[in-house]
Amino acid sequence: AAAGEAKSGRRAVRTGGQEELVAAITAVGAYAIAVGAHFAPHIQATLPSVCSHAQNPDAKVRTAVAESIERFGRMLGGLGEQLGPGPSQDRLFASEVARGLAMALLTLLGHQDGGASALRMALMVKEDLLQCQGFVELLGPDMVQQLSSACNGRSSDDVESSDGGDDDDEDDNEDM
């Protein structure tokens, strides 16, 4: 077999560019949660780029997108709690962004072929964000219902974390 030959059934090709993309998506999500509400003015510039990779064929990229969606969602949840109840331009903006995050998460949840670890991460993000009261309040009841019913009620515990031989899951190689 030639060096770098893809495993059967895989369509994604890992490149240095893919690894850099994963690092960039992860970094922007980490930065958003680290600076909190101060990141809000930059979300319109960064969020579309991150969410555009929700259908990437590489499971590692989709996993990074899911992790960043969670971080953006938690940042927005905290912002929503700071804004308090009642209508305002800031609350309306935060609500629109939260709904956009939920739509990107629904896209990830709909991408169930190939990449069990990406699906499992997306389900974990769904579960975590639905427990984040500030985020849930920004979503509104219709989007909460849509997110809650995604994947027919499957939970992250229903999905094996292994991608059938990926090198990032070493628990499958334990001694018997």
Side-chain angles (χ1 to χ4, degrees):
E5 186 175 311
K7 295 178 183 178
S8 64
R10 297 232 179 211
R11 290 185 215 144
V13 176
R14 293 199 205 304
T15 65
Q18 292 290 112
E19 297 303 320
E20 289 173 2
L21 179 60
V22 168
I25 291 169
T26 301
V28 75
Y31 187 70
I33 195 71
V35 299
H38 298 291
F39 188 79
H42 308 287
I43 204 161
Q44 282 183 310
T46 56
L47 189 59
S49 179
V50 170
C51 292
S52 71
H53 295 286
Q55 293 182 342
N56 192 296
D58 188 330
K60 285 187 177 188
V61 173
R62 291 193 317 273
T63 299
V65 169
E67 291 171 344
S68 286
I69 286 173
E70 179 179 18
R71 291 171 176 162
F72 279 124
R74 290 196 172 282
M75 182 271 301
L76 281 172
L79 178 63
E81 290 172 2
Q82 289 177 6
L83 293 173
S88 73
Q89 286 297 102
D90 290 339
R91 190 164 198 59
L92 179 61
F93 171 75
S95 180
E96 288 176 18
V97 173
R99 293 174 71 81
L101 284 173
M103 293 304 295
L105 184 54
L106 288 169
T107 298
L108 286 168
L109 291 167
H111 198 293
Q112 298 182 25
D113 57 323
S117 63
L119 176 59
R120 186 166 198 260
M121 177 57 70
L123 286 165
M124 288 170 48
V125 169
K126 175 185 100 164
E127 294 159 6
D128 290 348
L129 288 179
L130 287 174
Q131 292 179 6
C132 180
Q133 189 60 36
F135 185 76
V136 167
E137 289 173 4
L138 289 172
L139 281 182
D142 59 327
M143 188 58 77
V144 168
Q145 176 59 37
Q146 194 174 353
L147 202 53
S148 296
S149 62
C151 286
N152 299 321
R154 286 175 77 186
S155 76
S156 58
D157 292 335
D158 297 334
V159 179
E160 293 291 325
S161 61
S162 172
D163 278 339
D166 253 359
D167 57 347
D168 61 352
D169 219 352
E170 297 180 20
D171 291 336
D172 294 340
N173 299 327
E174 291 179 13
D175 293 340
M176 289 190 225

